[in-house]
Amino acid sequence: MGWIGSIIPLDNLGHYLHWHFILISVSNLIVIGLMIVTFVAALLLPFPGRSRRKENQ
Amino acid sequence: MSTTEIDRQWTTRLRRRAAGKLPPEKLLPDTQPAYVSSWIYVFGVTTLAALVVVIVSGCILALEGPQWWHSSNIGHFVNSTHLWSVEIFFFAMIVHLWGKFFMGAWRGGRTLTWMTGCVTFFASILAGFTGYVSQTNFDSQWISTQSKDGINATGGGSFFNVLNLGQMLMWHIVILPIAAIALTGMHVLLVRIKGVVPPFEKDTEIAR
Amino acid sequence: MSKKAFRPDVDAPEWRGGYSPYDIIKEGTIAIVIVGLLTILLATFFGSPDERAITMKIWSNADPIDFAQTAISEMNGSSTTAGYGAPYNTASDGVQLGPLKIAKFMGVTIPINTVKDFIINPLKSWPNQPALNQDLATWSSASSSTQSGWVADYTKAAPNLKFVNGHIVAQTTNAGPVPALIDDLTQMAQSGALDQALVTGNGFYTTNYTKPLMFLADSGYLANLADKQHLTGSQWGMMNETGQYPGQAWLWLYTFWYQIPPFTTSSNADILVFAVMAVLSMALLFLPLIPGLRSIPRKSRVYRLIWREHYQG
């Protein structure tokens, strides 16, 4: 790794979860989990600028 | 030269149609309807921003050619930015898709907006795939030799040869980026022409 | 103007409410800056995978017996490539969707003759090999039934090949020049000369690696490496990446079908899965036109969360 390489390289063999026919890498699970968390958070978190909007209505 | 002759010109007609459909206030609006107030609205523009980063990082890789990143630390770093911007691109695009689905964003004559979004998604998957097989490493060897079976099964393998590096690289850096950018442009213009979909009527679910 | 009945999943009510300030250029700029910084952060922390490509040289040195066994499978027609069918050859009909043999219909557009392209022609291109030239001459002058007999004899010995003093040793009785040809091909591969011979079919320049990739894919060696990295089809490999990197997670549905019956056991899985995905993709594309499906957003009431400010107002 050079000076600009990765600080936490992910080149070692990946970790995988196996449940019946479902086999998924921890990395992919994190990505998909984050997508769902992001989606739910986007629905639930209050969006700033609410009061200003009301004034303009 | 009469006015009617100018009126009939293709250029005049195109300009008038474009200006009518998409006046500057619509193309670059300075207000938006008050109901546009949720974090879910940021994922469209996030997808666009990620596309910009994907294209910029891809162009830097293109400056030095397809094998540069194997031997150069800077090249490898640029490749890393290309990979992660693609991950962000798909991440944002999928959350955007979910959000638009639950808004029923095709309502009010926005079917074509929905469809161009879907086609952009499909084209992006193909763009990502041709990138994976153009990496010139173990990954591309394995992915291309595996995926050939799926593509051959459809008959597409007779002209779309995933084992042909030159062909895949051309698709990845010429044909599919043009398609993705054109489709994204159409999608964004349609959003600007039609506006953001209004909420369902308040008594909608009682009425049905 | 008479108004048609309002269809809540097709029509949208006209907005008569207020508008708020919106700076689209500022929004876009902020998005590009944030995504750019996040990309640089992720790239700096995690980098990207780059497992070196496998060459014929690497493969034949790491596992010369697997190489020799793959080579004889190309000669006796039992390899995947040799028996593939279209678009490479006419050895089989290939996969089919019901009565439709789509690949076969499209024809042989990328012809590969495994004996000539993978074995005989590369050997012919190896310079300064008088003994090899003799063996190649013996092979060429023999009738095809004699050639088949030799290959069949070597095939019987193939499961018990040995690699002794840098040479492939086969217990054959009547295999003609085949043992020498297989051994020479192994030597050629180990020297690195085969990599070049397989790609230079069109002269000096090349951008097409179809032949070496097909040869390599017939090996057990490449599949073993992929299996360790969880990349094979039955391991949801399509969405996985080497190492611990996230892969093409967006392909989860495509690779999902390969994990369940009837696709796991069907020899036509490739086209069946493609057909299923084509139907589902069309359903997504035409969702606004499909009654029932297009009502899910309204009935799920998730929109109440998105526009809760509007509904509170």
Side-chain angles (χ1 to χ4, degrees):
Chain A
M1 286 296 149
W3 61 277
I4 206 164
S6 49
I7 295 166
I8 311 167
L10 303 177
D11 290 313
N12 299 322
L13 272 189
H15 299 292
Y16 278 76
L17 301 178
H18 203 168
W19 182 75
H20 292 276
F21 68 91
I22 294 176
L23 178 71
I24 187 163
S25 75
V26 173
S27 319
N28 274 343
L29 194 65
I30 290 172
V31 169
I32 293 171
L34 268 178
M35 262 154 67
I36 295 167
V37 168
T38 307
F39 179 66
V40 173
L43 295 186
L44 296 182
L45 291 180
F47 192 74
R50 184 174 175 163
S51 54
R52 197 185 56 194
R53 250 162 254 276
K54 288 269 153 133
E55 280 163 27
N56 275 284
Q57 267 190 24
Chain B
M1 205 159 42
S2 65
T3 321
T4 47
E5 194 188 332
I6 291 178
D7 284 341
R8 271 194 308 243
Q9 285 183 140
W10 291 7
T11 313
T12 319
R13 283 199 231 167
L14 177 73
R15 190 188 62 223
R16 285 189 185 153
R17 261 197 75 164
K21 282 235 173 204
L22 202 62
E25 313 83 71
K26 267 191 168 182
L27 183 62
L28 289 174
D30 46 24
T31 60
Q32 65 185 353
Y35 56 80
V36 182
S37 173
S38 165
W39 282 109
I40 200 69
Y41 282 105
V42 306
F43 291 97
V45 70
T46 309
T47 313
L48 280 176
L51 181 62
V52 170
V53 180
V54 168
I55 290 167
V56 170
S57 55
C59 285
I60 301 174
L61 287 173
L63 283 176
E64 292 285 334
Q67 305 245 43
W68 171 53
W69 71 286
H70 296 303
S71 53
S72 152
N73 283 329
I74 297 169
H76 191 96
F77 177 75
V78 177
N79 179 74
S80 304
T81 61
H82 198 57
L83 169 77
W84 287 104
S85 54
V86 167
E87 289 284 339
I88 295 171
F89 174 77
F90 276 102
F91 188 106
M93 197 185 218
I94 289 165
V95 177
H96 175 66
L97 172 72
W98 292 345
K100 292 299 153 187
F101 172 73
F102 283 109
M103 293 184 207
W106 51 78
R107 290 173 298 130
R110 293 174 179 83
T111 302
L112 203 56
T113 315
W114 172 270
M115 289 172 125
T116 50
C118 287
V119 176
T120 310
F121 180 50
F122 303 145
S124 304
I125 288 175
L126 196 58
F129 167 75
T130 51
Y132 273 90
V133 299
S134 300
Q135 292 179 89
T136 61
N137 61 11
F138 173 76
D139 227 22
S140 43
Q141 287 183 312
W142 179 256
I143 293 171
S144 59
T145 51
Q146 287 295 295
S147 57
K148 75 176 193 301
D149 298 333
I151 291 159
N152 288 340
T154 67
S158 63
F159 54 88
F160 187 78
N161 181 5
V162 297
L163 305 178
N164 184 338
L165 172 68
Q167 188 186 11
M168 290 303 106
L169 190 64
M170 292 295 188
W171 275 74
H172 183 65
I173 67 171
V174 181
I175 299 170
L176 290 168
I178 290 174
I181 293 166
L183 286 164
T184 307
M186 268 175 72
H187 184 68
V188 171
L189 287 182
L190 281 169
V191 173
R192 297 281 38 115
I193 290 170
K194 292 285 176 179
V196 188
V197 74
F200 288 97
E201 279 186 347
K202 289 188 185 183
D203 53 355
T204 288
E205 64 277 346
I206 306 159
R208 297 260 132 176
Chain C
M1 196 175 83
S2 70
K3 219 173 172 198
K4 277 200 287 180
F6 185 82
R7 294 164 298 171
D9 301 317
V10 178
D11 305 318
E14 203 185 320
W15 178 245
R16 298 175 194 283
Y19 285 79
S20 36
Y22 173 47
D23 195 344
I24 192 171
I25 296 296
K26 187 177 170 188
E27 186 191 71
T29 309
I30 292 173
I32 289 174
V33 169
I34 290 179
V35 172
L37 288 176
L38 184 61
T39 301
I40 290 171
L41 208 69
L42 286 164
T44 310
F45 267 85
F46 300 122
S48 52
D50 191 15
E51 296 272 326
R52 69 174 178 167
I54 303 302
T55 58
M56 297 289 154
K57 185 178 179 179
I58 293 174
W59 167 30
S60 58
N61 280 294
D63 196 346
I65 290 172
D66 181 59
F67 178 85
Q69 285 169 339
T70 308
I72 192 65
S73 77
E74 306 294 4
M75 291 190 90
N76 66 24
S78 66
S79 75
T80 307
T81 305
Y84 199 96
Y88 309 117
N89 51 48
T90 52
S92 72
D93 285 351
V95 293
Q96 53 193 80
L97 181 65
L100 298 174
K101 297 166 184 165
I102 309 168
K104 192 185 178 193
F105 173 78
M106 297 300 287
V108 179
T109 52
I110 309 163
I112 296 177
N113 178 326
T114 53
V115 182
K116 274 195 181 138
D117 292 330
F118 293 170
I119 315 289
I120 302 300
N121 289 348
L123 284 174
K124 276 184 185 164
S125 74
W126 206 14
N128 304 321
Q129 305 287 331
L132 170 60
N133 291 344
Q134 202 66 50
D135 292 327
L136 283 169
T138 311
W139 171 265
S140 303
S141 56
S143 69
S144 62
S145 66
T146 310
Q147 290 175 345
S148 308
W150 290 335
V151 169
D153 189 62
Y154 193 100
T155 302
K156 269 184 254 158
N160 302 312
L161 294 184
K162 289 195 172 59
F163 189 64
V164 185
N165 296 328
H167 288 279
I168 296 288
V169 180
Q171 301 297 321
T172 54
T173 48
N174 182 25
V178 173
L181 294 178
I182 296 284
D183 183 45
D184 281 334
L185 193 75
T186 310
Q187 305 297 318
M188 189 181 178
Q190 290 188 329
S191 76
L194 183 60
D195 284 292
Q196 216 43 47
L198 284 168
V199 295
T200 47
N202 291 323
F204 184 82
Y205 285 111
T206 185
T207 55
N208 187 349
Y209 292 83
T210 305
K211 283 173 188 169
L213 280 170
M214 292 296 285
F215 194 170
L216 193 59
D218 287 334
S219 74
Y221 181 70
L222 192 72
N224 281 337
L225 290 178
D227 189 71
K228 278 189 206 135
Q229 297 268 15
H230 295 88
L231 299 178
T232 66
S234 59
Q235 296 169 310
W236 299 70
M238 208 184 281
M239 64 188 280
N240 294 336
E241 177 57 273
T242 54
Q244 292 166 276
Y245 291 91
Q248 302 183 73
W250 49 89
L251 294 181
W252 73 272
L253 189 59
Y254 203 116
T255 187
F256 161 78
W257 300 109
Y258 282 97
Q259 319 305 321
I260 58 163
F263 309 106
T264 40
T265 50
S266 169
S267 58
N268 295 318
D270 283 320
I271 188 65
L272 293 177
V273 171
F274 185 86
V276 168
M277 285 307 288
V279 169
L280 292 176
S281 301
M282 286 300 121
L284 182 71
L285 184 64
F286 292 107
L287 194 77
L289 310 176
I290 304 172
L293 286 182
R294 68 185 177 193
S295 301
I296 295 172
R298 180 168 54 87
K299 294 195 168 148
S300 73
R301 295 177 58 102
V302 173
Y303 70 88
R304 286 250 154 200
L305 277 172
I306 297 171
W307 290 309
R308 60 183 175 279
E309 240 176 80
H310 167 74
Y311 292 108
Q312 280 159 11

